[in-house]
Amino acid sequence: LIPISFLGPQQGRVLHQVLRSLNLAETIGSSAELARSYALACGVAGLIPIHRLARFYNRKATEVAQDLAEGDLAWVQEVTGLYDIGVCAWDRLENNLGQAIEIFERLGEHSHRGQALAILAQSYYFRGNIEMGLEHWTEVHRSAEQHQNQLQQAWGLNGQVEGQFWMSTNPTLIETCLLEAREILTETVEQVSATSTVGLLALHYWREGTQKEALQCADDAMKLIEELGRPSGYYALRGYFASAWVNLSAWESGHAREAQAKQALKHLWSYAKIFPVGRPLAWLCEGRWRRLKGRIKKANQAWRKCLDISRSLDMQLEPGLAHQLLGQHEPEETLRTLHRRAARERFAKLGLSSCPL
């Protein structure tokens, strides 16, 4: 029941189930049940969020799992990876998931291998390694097709498209793949992934100039976000971000979208308060909001905050986006020139020909 509850808006139920599981497992002592319960408690503590407690349970889960069968160790590494990616614990994540993927492959656990591979793939995007992320997402999709796992096929489509979107390649394929993913996800309870699907569609349509479709997808993403309640999945970030970004862009272009932009930004900050990985994009959008409200100095402060937090979290794409905006809106021409150059250099380093938004 616990994994099912994680996919929906019933987080109170998740907390009750995890605490019950942990209480029972602690009566047994060192065991697979205890390691798994600690891993799940790590995830729940992160969603509250109480990160110090989450790190404690993360450590306890790992300690207990070291003495267990390798399948139990890999399961713990997969579940704690769901926490690690949201807090940008990149080295631990890559080490643990690399080991878990090898174990799942050896044991023939194709579904768990796909889940661990998906977390690792998205972590590469978050760190700005688009090429490596795309390679891993392609493998997620290939394996899901081979083993007829529809949900992971949708994940793989989402993941491959995100890489193609950042690289600004093949707009027709981007739309086709996202529409296919959206159709698959309508048949599942996986609203979190559906949020990112429609978010990526919104970003794609806006960039292609089809504003009506972009705004409809941004509205659809916001509707899904509100149905989900409190943020519960790191992988919904693109939906939260797209809803805010597209509404801000529409407002800036003269559409009457201030109210939608305000609500979408509020949702994005709700996500960022739970998942630090969302904080750079929240500050990026916060800066746009402040500028549109005429608070120019505070807007620039927000974009510089985006730079600082991106640096502390070792995230590489967001600084380019912040430099791009500062290059457009810094009051001094000398500073604008420096920021535009920094943006170009950042995008080139990531293998991108230009700003992808």
Side-chain angles (χ1 to χ4, degrees):
L1 287 175
I2 292 170
I4 294 171
S5 298
F6 266 117
L7 302 178
Q10 306 172 40
Q11 288 161 34
R13 191 179 186 187
V14 174
L15 179 59
H16 171 75
Q17 290 163 352
V18 169
L19 290 176
R20 180 172 169 77
S21 171
L22 184 57
N23 287 337
L24 290 171
E26 285 181 327
T27 65
I28 301 172
S30 184
S31 61
E33 290 78 12
L34 182 61
R36 291 176 180 235
S37 295
Y38 279 142
L40 290 167
C42 165
V44 169
L47 292 176
I48 293 175
I50 306 176
H51 291 297
R52 184 171 63 177
L53 184 61
R55 290 191 296 270
F56 169 78
Y57 283 132
N58 193 325
R59 187 172 65 253
K60 295 291 286 184
T62 301
E63 288 172 358
V64 175
Q66 293 300 323
D67 297 325
L68 302 176
E70 62 177 8
D72 296 312
L73 171 63
W75 192 96
V76 166
Q77 290 170 322
E78 177 194 336
V79 173
T80 55
L82 290 167
Y83 173 74
D84 287 340
I85 189 173
V87 297
C88 308
W90 307 127
D91 292 341
R92 183 171 65 210
L93 176 81
E94 188 166 3
N95 178 68
N96 286 348
L97 288 183
Q99 186 178 358
I101 289 164
E102 290 180 3
I103 292 171
F104 287 138
E105 187 164 7
R106 192 159 56 245
L107 297 177
E109 293 277 1
H110 305 298
S111 178
H112 281 291
R113 176 181 178 273
Q115 291 174 43
L117 196 61
I119 302 168
L120 185 60
Q122 193 61 35
S123 78
Y124 285 125
Y125 283 163
F126 287 159
R127 283 177 281 177
N129 193 338
I130 310 301
E131 183 177 348
M132 187 68 76
L134 183 56
E135 179 182 318
H136 280 67
W137 274 120
T138 301
E139 171 58 18
V140 171
H141 187 253
R142 183 206 64 77
S143 180
E145 283 195 317
Q146 179 182 346
H147 299 104
Q148 299 182 326
N149 187 320
Q150 272 205 312
L151 178 57
Q152 291 188 13
Q153 285 179 47
W155 293 353
L157 289 168
N158 272 0
Q160 289 177 94
V161 161
E162 182 175 342
Q164 291 159 355
F165 175 82
W166 295 127
M167 294 188 294
S168 305
T169 59
N170 207 334
T172 302
L173 180 63
I174 288 174
E175 180 179 16
T176 301
C177 289
L178 286 174
L179 290 175
E180 182 181 348
R182 190 176 190 179
E183 184 176 349
I184 293 171
L185 291 168
T186 57
E187 301 172 5
T188 74
V189 297
E190 237 289 48
Q191 287 179 289
V192 181
S193 290
T195 303
S196 278
T197 303
V198 293
L200 287 167
L201 269 171
L203 291 172
H204 165 71
Y205 283 137
W206 187 263
R207 190 171 68 183
E208 293 301 305
T210 49
Q211 296 186 1
K212 181 180 178 181
E213 290 84 352
L215 293 175
Q216 182 59 60
C217 286
D219 288 344
D220 291 346
M222 185 134 52
K223 182 180 178 182
L224 284 169
I225 287 166
E226 290 173 350
E227 288 175 356
L228 284 167
R230 280 176 59 82
S232 60
Y234 74 88
Y235 46 102
L237 175 56
R238 299 316 181 202
Y240 284 85
F241 168 65
S243 181
W245 186 265
V246 169
N247 276 300
L248 287 163
S249 299
W251 180 22
E252 186 176 34
S253 300
H255 294 269
R257 302 289 290 192
E258 180 179 353
Q260 292 91 332
K262 181 179 181 180
Q263 187 66 18
L265 182 58
K266 180 181 177 183
H267 291 319
L268 179 56
W269 273 116
S270 294
Y271 175 98
K273 287 174 182 176
I274 294 173
F275 300 103
V277 73
R279 290 174 188 169
L281 289 178
W283 280 111
L284 194 77
C285 291
E286 178 71 26
R288 294 192 72 193
W289 167 266
R290 292 177 180 182
R291 192 186 74 81
L292 288 167
K293 295 294 285 185
R295 303 166 190 163
I296 307 303
K297 185 176 180 180
K298 287 188 175 293
N300 291 342
Q301 289 173 351
W303 292 325
R304 285 193 287 272
K305 186 77 171 176
C306 174
L307 289 173
D308 291 341
I309 292 178
S310 298
R311 199 173 297 118
S312 70
L313 297 177
D314 193 21
M315 298 177 72
Q316 303 300 318
L317 176 61
E318 288 79 356
L321 301 175
H323 280 305
Q324 184 78 11
L325 289 168
L326 285 163
Q328 294 168 0
H329 302 298
E330 272 280 8
E332 296 182 25
E333 175 58 32
T334 303
L335 289 176
R336 287 200 300 273
T337 300
L338 289 173
H339 282 298
R340 286 196 293 268
R341 183 186 306 153
R344 288 194 301 271
E345 290 173 353
R346 175 70 60 167
F347 294 138
K349 183 180 178 180
L350 299 179
L352 309 180
S353 59
S354 62
C355 179
L357 293 174

